Amino acid sequence: MARILRSFTTLLLASAVSAQVDYSQYVNPFIGSEGPFEGLAFGGGDIFVGGAVPFGVAKVGIDTYETNVSFSTINGGYTPKGLVTAVSMMHESGTGGSAKYGIISQMPLNTLNGVNVLNNRTYWQKRVGEDVAKVGYFSTKLENGVGVELSAGRHTGIMQYSFPAGDQHILVDVSHYLPAEGGGGDSQFFAGGEIKLLADGKTYTGMGSYGGGFSESAPMTTYFCGEFDTAPDQAQTFRGRNMDPMGIYRYHNAQGPVPQPTYGNTSETSGPLNDRIGALFTWSDSGIATIRSRVGISMISVERACKYKNDEIPSWNLNDAVSAAVEEWNTDVFSKIRVSTDSSQNRTNLDERESVVAEYGLMYYASMLRATIDIWKWEGFMPDGRSGNYNGIVQGGSNADNALADAYVKGLEGINWTEAYQAMLTDAEVVPYNTYSFVDPTNGIKEGRGALYDWIPLGYVSSDRSTRALSRSVEYALNDFSLYQLAKDLAPNDVKKYLRRSAQWQNTWDHNLKHKGFTGFLTPKLSNGKFNTTDYNPALCGGCEWQDISYEATPFGEPSMSLELAE
């Protein structure tokens, strides 16, 4: 009892101390947003920059488009110099894959001259000045003179638009999403939705279904409930032919001029793969300088989206939402991390108090792992990557196995480890039904281990029947080692099997291959059991992409080569 009381006391003390320190001031949200070329996200971290809270459903930020598609990356919506097409409620961060989300959007406009709401190109905006990003806050200024500030709650966003003199318009495009740069087979698509203008004149509700993109997901429905602080002078819905946001025909090789929208109703509904829909709100030179909007989203219902809007962001004061986001980040995340600034220390240190605080935060970790296991229970496989309520993009092995094994050996509580092991067994033994890839229909990418047809009978992934053969052989071995960790307690009869399989990466090791004074390397191996060393250089991997011998890494790194590239 005394230990419990001491722990509880130190937890309260830690919370009190944490509340007095604003750790968010040390966070730079722009880190990773720019690659090696100034002003371009290409080669960067593909990250989201905008308003969000920890583990929030909403990630509120700008959507941008790079006209130089050879160096474009809009995975998370944000690029340093890209043209702004919308402010939207949902984004991914750090996927490295195709663009996803950029849905439930608004776009502030100061004129409708030349604007076709079916085509982002007719109203996209350059930015002037410098973007500002802090924890829970983002702002920018558009070339049309409109200032944009935003923040977020867990399922909500608040947007504040500062307009120059003249008319003010806000476009709500239900059919908006982040398109694939330059076009691509894994682009997103709008599968249908609806929008309704409420009688108060300033509230709108509806839903949209979107599929494709990162994870190549089936359509997922998101409900929304939006409100403005001031009723507009005019509000009307629109609909028009289904093109992608760049004005490109999505489903037909149609010729002729780009169609124009039709306006005038208070509601619109678009069936599966039918028309684009949205609404346009106008304040006619009313002298109002600032227009604010709150939007809630839900995967369940419009009613729940409206409740989120009212409960999570009850105030029209943007700073209230920012302060709430900062407090949540400080309390739930930043205060859990302690790095010594003492010059005599060279690593992170945790004392008893900090250990208690860290343990308190493990509820998040456990809930994430339980969700991973639940996905297996309902859908058949755990995710390696997931978005749009859909598993997808398995780059190598079934690495949810590794996350579970790590938690198991550390004694994480709140997990049904029997179920966890069964989920891991599915990854280890069941060839996924979706064994397809960008290159070869025998290499699965959606979930599980798509090359088990090699791994189980051959003891390695062959380079003539599978892509990414070397990196997947190494990852599959690690995955099986993860099963071994749980099997020691939960399935003793499986211990030898998975310990043996965890060593199978050695089957791709050529002890005789020489390179740059070194001997012995991972080497492509054919399904007939012979190494394929023709033109093989362990320091190279082609493009290190899906179709190559290894993914995003080489079997051997040459320091001299790295220096030459850096220079």
Side-chain angles (χ1 to χ4, degrees), residues 400-462:
D401 302 334
N402 305 344
L404 287 170
D406 177 75
Y408 182 75
V409 299
K410 291 177 178 176
L412 183 67
E413 298 179 351
I415 304 294
N416 184 325
W417 290 111
T418 300
E419 289 184 348
Y421 186 66
Q422 292 300 314
M424 295 165 71
L425 281 176
T426 301
D427 285 338
E429 302 296 338
V430 179
V431 177
Y433 68 91
N434 62 308
T435 49
Y436 63 89
S437 76
F438 301 118
V439 180
D440 184 340
T442 64
N443 293 286
I445 63 166
K446 182 178 178 293
E447 56 198 4
R449 303 187 212 170
L452 285 178
Y453 54 79
D454 270 352
W455 182 249
I456 293 176
L458 299 180
Y460 60 92
V461 179
S462 68

Side-chain angles (χ1 to χ4, degrees), residues 48-51 59-64 76-78 83-91 101-109 120 123-125 127 138-142 146-152 156-161 163 170-174 176-178 204 228 293 295 297 318:
F48 163 74
V49 178
K59 291 184 176 64
V60 186
I62 60 174
D63 295 343
T64 64
Y78 181 86
L83 297 160
V84 177
T85 62
V87 176
S88 64
M89 293 292 295
M90 295 184 71
H91 296 90
Y101 297 140
I103 60 173
I104 317 301
S105 72
Q106 296 182 351
M107 183 63 183
L109 306 169
N120 287 178
Y123 57 79
W124 60 19
Q125 290 288 309
R127 283 166 280 172
F138 176 83
S139 70
T140 191
K141 188 170 185 180
L142 308 180
V146 179
V148 177
E149 298 177 86
L150 56 86
S151 187
T156 48
I158 180 169
M159 288 70 74
Q160 181 169 291
Y161 307 112
F163 283 88
I170 295 179
L171 167 63
V172 174
D173 185 357
V174 179
H176 177 84
Y177 55 81
L178 287 169
Y204 62 93
F228 298 104
S293 179
V295 179
I297 59 174
L318 180 80

Side-chain angles (χ1 to χ4, degrees), residues 62-347:
I62 60 174
D63 295 343
T64 64
Y65 191 84
E66 291 280 2
T67 55
N68 185 349
V69 296
S70 298
F71 293 94
S72 58
T73 304
I74 58 169
N75 312 53
Y78 181 86
T79 58
K81 300 296 182 183
L83 297 160
V84 177
T85 62
V87 176
S88 64
M89 293 292 295
M90 295 184 71
H91 296 90
E92 288 277 341
S93 187
T95 66
S98 301
K100 186 69 176 180
Y101 297 140
I103 60 173
I104 317 301
S105 72
Q106 296 182 351
M107 183 63 183
L109 306 169
N110 68 340
T111 181
L112 297 180
N113 293 333
V115 170
N116 180 349
V117 295
L118 305 179
N119 186 347
N120 287 178
R121 298 176 190 272
T122 65
Y123 57 79
W124 60 19
Q125 290 288 309
K126 293 181 180 179
R127 283 166 280 172
V128 295
E130 297 293 330
D131 296 341
V132 176
K134 303 175 183 179
V135 171
Y137 174 83
F138 176 83
S139 70
T140 191
K141 188 170 185 180
L142 308 180
E143 192 175 34
N144 62 12
V146 179
V148 177
E149 298 177 86
L150 56 86
S151 187
R154 190 162 305 284
H155 310 84
T156 48
I158 180 169
M159 288 70 74
Q160 181 169 291
Y161 307 112
S162 301
F163 283 88
D167 288 352
Q168 299 110 22
H169 312 274
I170 295 179
L171 167 63
V172 174
D173 185 357
V174 179
S175 42
H176 177 84
Y177 55 81
L178 287 169
E181 295 272 15
D186 52 352
S187 174
Q188 294 190 85
F189 59 90
F190 172 63
E194 63 182 32
I195 185 168
K196 180 185 296 185
L197 308 182
L198 272 59
D200 64 4
K202 61 180 183 177
T203 305
Y204 62 93
T205 61
M207 50 76 73
S209 293
Y210 317 86
F214 177 79
S215 80
E216 301 184 357
S217 64
M220 177 195 73
T221 298
T222 302
Y223 298 88
F224 57 83
C225 179
E227 180 184 9
F228 298 104
D229 64 337
T230 304
D233 297 310
Q234 183 182 42
Q236 54 187 335
T237 62
F238 69 83
R239 71 183 303 131
R241 190 160 184 176
N242 196 345
M243 303 175 296
D244 83 359
M246 296 296 111
I248 300 171
Y249 287 100
R250 176 72 186 168
Y251 301 105
H252 306 283
N253 294 320
Q255 303 295 321
V258 174
Q260 297 293 314
T262 57
Y263 293 91
N265 296 320
T266 58
S267 65
E268 294 286 358
T269 299
S270 175
L273 307 182
N274 203 330
D275 289 345
R276 299 191 64 181
I277 58 172
L280 187 65
F281 300 83
T282 298
W283 294 258
S284 299
D285 199 14
S286 59
I288 299 174
T290 301
I291 296 173
R292 300 173 183 87
S293 179
R294 299 179 302 173
V295 179
I297 59 174
S298 167
M299 309 304 161
I300 298 175
S301 68
V302 164
E303 291 74 20
R304 185 164 295 196
C306 291
K307 188 176 189 305
Y308 287 144
K309 170 182 66 70
N310 297 329
D311 292 350
E312 294 182 3
I313 304 184
S315 167
W316 286 106
N317 187 331
L318 180 80
N319 290 332
D320 290 346
V322 175
S323 297
V326 168
E327 181 179 0
E328 187 166 346
W329 278 103
N330 277 331
T331 301
D332 291 351
V333 180
F334 302 146
S335 64
K336 308 294 192 297
I337 304 168
R338 303 291 169 86
V339 180
S340 174
T341 57
D342 188 329
S343 60
S344 65
Q345 302 295 324
N346 60 7
R347 62 183 180 87

Side-chain angles (χ1 to χ4, degrees), residues 349-403:
N349 291 276
L350 295 176
D351 62 19
E352 182 189 4
R353 177 187 66 193
E354 294 156 354
S355 297
V356 172
V357 176
E359 184 178 357
Y360 179 73
L362 289 177
M363 69 177 73
Y364 293 118
Y365 189 26
S367 65
M368 292 173 68
L369 294 181
R370 285 196 299 270
T372 298
I373 298 168
D374 284 344
I375 291 167
W376 161 76
K377 288 164 63 176
W378 288 99
E379 299 184 13
F381 283 89
M382 293 186 291
D384 199 63
R386 187 173 175 91
S387 67
N389 282 342
Y390 203 72
N391 292 351
I393 313 301
V394 178
Q395 297 176 342
S398 52
N399 292 315
D401 302 334
N402 305 344

